[in-house]
Amino acid sequence: MTFPSPHLSRRQMLAASAAVVVAFSAASCTQAESPTPVPTPAGPAPTPSDPWRPLAHLTAEKNWLNDPNGLVYHDGTYHAFYQYNPQGNSWGNMSWGHSTSKDLVHWEQQPVAMEASPDEEIFSGCIVMDKNNASGLGSAETPPMVALYTSAYGKNGALPQGSQAQSVAFSLDNGTTWQKYQGNPVLNLAPTNNNFRDPKITWYEPGRYWVMATVVADAQVVKLFKSTDLLRWEYLSDFSGVGAQGGLWEVPELLHMDVEDSTAKKWVMLLSINPGGIAGGSGMQYFVGEFDGRRFTAENAAAPGAPLTESQWLDHGADYYAANSISGAPGDKPVLLGWMGNWDYAQDVPTTPWRGSMAIPRELTLVRGAKRLELRSAIAGAARETLDRSGEVKSKNLTVGSSPQDLGQEFRGRTQLIELDMDLKSAREAGVLLRHSSSASETGLRISYNKETGSVRVDRSQAGTSNFSGKFSPFHEVALPSPGNKVHLTILLDSSSVEVFAAGGTAVISDTFFPDWDNTGSSAFSMEGDTDFTVTTRGL
Ligand code: FRU
């Protein structure tokens, strides 16, 4: 099976208005009572010469990044490692970059953790704290941080050039410096495989062992293994033959989750697919089911090759990929960090000297949907608390008729956390236009809800620079589970991205876009009738 995508060739190279206010009912502006100040971001801030630098999302100061790897919470600090090219602003020389955060919003870049060599690139993987030093790589006093990563072998590697196997590295200084385990690779396939990668491990309490999920990406197979010492891995089972199949299966993860409002627990398999995602190119599907210590069985899963709408998707935007959970994160819900990118065009986006950013960390809840269990995503607690303490709260109630309504000075901004309530009285469709120019309401990022189709749409086609790639898809849509006249959206707008949470987080759209620096206007619009709006924002 071949996949005509830039991602594959990368892999092959490696394997080698004029606004008339019809009605303006009750307009009010409120300000928050003296918000507790939050620290300013440790990294660079957006400027006219670096206009797309996010303020509330992890980026590297310079150079390329993709998947988050080795996400771990230890001693009050969140560590994010990630696929990073120390030498340039496009994919290559894959190494693990490293950033740390106390609040999941402000990140501080650390020295590169593990650097590529001509023999071995360091592909995606995970980190756990080996608290009991079961690996023997540390001591009882200094338990090691253990990383499982994919060795992608080069010229004089331990395995033939182009092959991929799983390896171990460890740190005895809280993730600052890393040593590779001498017995690497710790897990290989026979025969050696060029697409065997992305280990992510989960503790299986009933059996008291670690379970590793990996993929044979081009065969659309997840392979599970177990270990008690993180070094010796025993094959358990394969998971395949369900859901979307139209591309590489990458970055799997098994999660054990509570079902909300019940005592039941279920297992969830997160799985990235590229291409073949719901919004085109890269996307993340998931499966809910049971895991008996050996085998994961998906329940109510889409048949292989079924229409993509039958699969379950973590996000319906174009830019949410390779998300995995933060090991040891406080709280009883998985906290995920995902890459806000799409292999269809990630290498072409016009940012410099950096390319690639992470999504806002999200916590997952498993809830009963109409037909089956579903994942709900929300901005992770720690991040949400930080965002809620940032900036001033401004709020406005208005009724908009057939002409757009400029929300005014208080709602201008490049980075905002917006809570939007709309009641589509007689309107068919309503929404907000963000990052628009001072005069026109025709350009801008258009976020809308259509009550006839019951769907939320993010349209980035007029939102700024988009000619860098023919594959930069213009808009993305998600159908809400129980559509009605009223809708609530949480919108996190940053310099070059938007994340829209609808239907309590069961419908999410994450998209990048590249607006003009000077365009900071926000308007509300309503089509073919009136809509009541309540808009609350905090400028970050
Ligand atoms: C997913 C992925 C992984 C791989 C890494 C390489 O985006 O292709 O499968 O380990 O990126 O950078």
Side-chain angles (χ1 to χ4, degrees):
M1 208 170 182
T2 54
F3 307 106
S5 80
H7 187 30
L8 191 66
S9 60
R10 167 183 74 102
R11 178 96 45 230
Q12 281 164 339
M13 272 161 55
L14 206 222
S17 159
V20 179
V21 182
V22 169
F24 186 81
S25 59
S28 61
C29 271
T30 39
Q31 303 222 331
E33 294 150 23
S34 59
T36 318
V38 290
T40 51
T47 59
S49 61
D50 187 3
W52 298 309
R53 170 80 68 179
L55 203 58
H57 293 84
L58 193 168
T59 50
E61 272 176 46
K62 59 175 192 178
N63 296 335
W64 167 269
L65 71 70
N66 58 287
D67 308 5
N69 302 141
L71 305 172
V72 64
Y73 179 77
H74 178 57
D75 270 356
T77 300
Y78 294 93
H79 294 262
F81 297 81
Y82 39 82
Q83 291 289 282
Y84 181 63
N85 181 357
Q87 292 171 41
N89 208 10
S90 44
W91 187 87
N93 309 301
M94 292 325 293
S95 304
W96 276 25
H98 183 198
S99 294
T100 53
S101 175
K102 297 278 185 200
D103 63 8
L104 292 176
V105 174
H106 303 96
W107 293 90
E108 203 174 321
Q109 195 164 338
Q110 307 294 339
V112 174
M114 287 193 269
E115 199 148 352
S117 73
D119 305 345
E120 185 197 31
E121 289 186 78
I122 323 283
F123 275 18
S124 289
C126 64
I127 288 177
V128 291
M129 273 310 296
D130 180 15
K131 290 189 193 117
N132 302 322
N133 190 32
S135 64
L137 296 170
S139 62
E141 301 72 49
T142 314
M145 247 184 203
V146 176
L148 272 301
Y149 67 92
T150 298
S151 299
Y153 291 106
K155 252 194 176 148
N156 302 306
L159 293 178
Q161 185 166 9
S163 59
Q164 299 180 356
Q166 315 324 320
S167 292
V168 163
F170 59 101
S171 170
L172 303 176
D173 59 5
N174 298 324
T176 305
T177 59
W178 290 83
Q179 300 172 54
K180 289 182 184 169
Y181 173 58
Q182 294 215 323
N184 283 340
V186 296
L187 181 59
N188 186 20
L189 292 182
T192 301
N193 190 289
N194 287 1
N195 282 286
F196 176 43
R197 59 175 176 266
D198 303 344
K200 174 74 184 179
I201 67 176
T202 308
W203 179 250
Y204 182 63
E205 182 58 30
R208 301 202 58 77
Y209 48 75
W210 295 102
V211 175
M212 181 203 287
T214 57
V215 287
V216 177
D218 57 344
Q220 292 80 31
V221 175
V222 175
K223 287 193 168 290
L224 302 179
F225 300 85
K226 75 171 187 181
S227 174
T228 51
D229 65 4
L230 299 164
L231 301 173
R232 288 166 301 168
W233 292 91
E234 183 189 314
Y235 172 73
L236 289 177
S237 62
D238 281 4
F239 171 71
S240 64
V242 288
Q245 305 274 322
L248 300 170
W249 278 16
E250 299 185 312
V251 198
E253 177 168 11
L254 253 188
L255 293 169
H256 200 198
M257 293 187 64
D258 294 327
V259 179
E260 202 178 48
D261 298 328
S262 102
T263 52
K265 285 188 123 180
K266 283 283 182 187
W267 288 84
V268 176
M269 174 83 75
L270 304 180
L271 195 54
S272 292
I273 182 169
N274 174 65
I278 185 74
S282 315
M284 278 193 77
Q285 58 180 332
Y286 66 90
F287 303 94
V288 183
E290 289 296 348
F291 176 64
D292 63 4
R294 174 163 291 275
R295 194 168 292 283
F296 172 75
T297 315
E299 294 164 357
N300 303 310
L308 291 184
T309 46
E310 288 179 22
S311 284
Q312 295 189 280
W313 300 93
L314 209 47
D315 198 295
H316 284 73
D319 296 285
Y320 194 71
Y321 197 64
N324 58 100
S325 75
I326 304 177
S327 178
D332 51 8
K333 294 182 175 172
V335 179
L336 299 192
L337 189 67
W339 173 49
M340 267 207 281
N342 189 314
W343 285 115
D344 267 2
Y345 51 76
Q347 307 234 50
D348 305 316
V349 300
T351 60
T352 183
W354 57 279
R355 207 182 255 137
S357 97
M358 298 303 173
I360 196 74
R362 301 179 187 174
E363 62 190 28
L364 295 184
T365 311
L366 190 58
V367 297
R368 285 188 200 287
K371 287 198 294 206
R372 51 188 171 177
L373 292 170
E374 292 172 356
L375 285 178
R376 195 158 71 193
S377 304
I379 296 175
R384 180 77 210 209
E385 275 169 35
T386 306
L387 297 175
D388 282 347
R389 282 191 286 119
S390 317
E392 282 173 13
V393 186
K394 295 137 196 166
S395 171
K396 204 168 210 174
N397 302 317
L398 62 158
T399 298
V400 180
S402 55
S403 300
Q405 166 81 41
D406 194 317
L407 289 169
Q409 192 59 33
E410 295 97 341
F411 291 82
R412 300 183 77 86
R414 299 181 183 92
T415 304
Q416 303 184 52
L417 177 59
I418 301 170
E419 298 290 350
L420 175 64
D421 281 294
M422 298 191 290
D423 185 352
L424 283 70
K425 299 281 193 201
S426 51
R428 177 176 52 84
E429 190 191 353
V432 286
L433 196 69
L434 304 175
R435 295 299 309 264
H436 68 70
S437 63
S438 51
S439 57
S441 305
E442 293 305 315
T443 58
L445 181 77
R446 192 176 188 276
I447 302 171
S448 58
Y449 171 65
N450 181 319
K451 80 177 180 202
E452 272 165 24
T453 61
S455 53
V456 169
R457 176 189 284 217
V458 173
D459 186 333
R460 60 183 181 181
S461 62
Q462 310 296 318
T465 304
S466 62
N467 59 1
F468 50 83
S469 166
K471 289 190 157 184
F472 190 67
S473 43
F475 65 84
H476 307 107
E477 217 168 63
V478 59
L480 304 190
S482 36
N485 288 4
K486 293 184 180 176
V487 69
H488 176 86
L489 305 179
T490 298
I491 302 171
L492 180 57
L493 175 76
D494 207 343
S495 307
S496 53
S497 68
V498 71
E499 291 159 282
V500 180
F501 299 83
T506 53
V508 187
I509 297 181
S510 303
D511 276 341
T512 54
F513 70 111
F514 303 93
D516 289 355
W517 173 256
D518 290 334
N519 291 357
T520 56
S522 305
S523 292
F525 62 85
S526 177
M527 316 286 288
E528 297 171 30
D530 292 355
T531 299
D532 288 347
F533 284 78
T534 301
V535 198
T536 301
T537 188
R538 29 180 101 240
L540 304 176

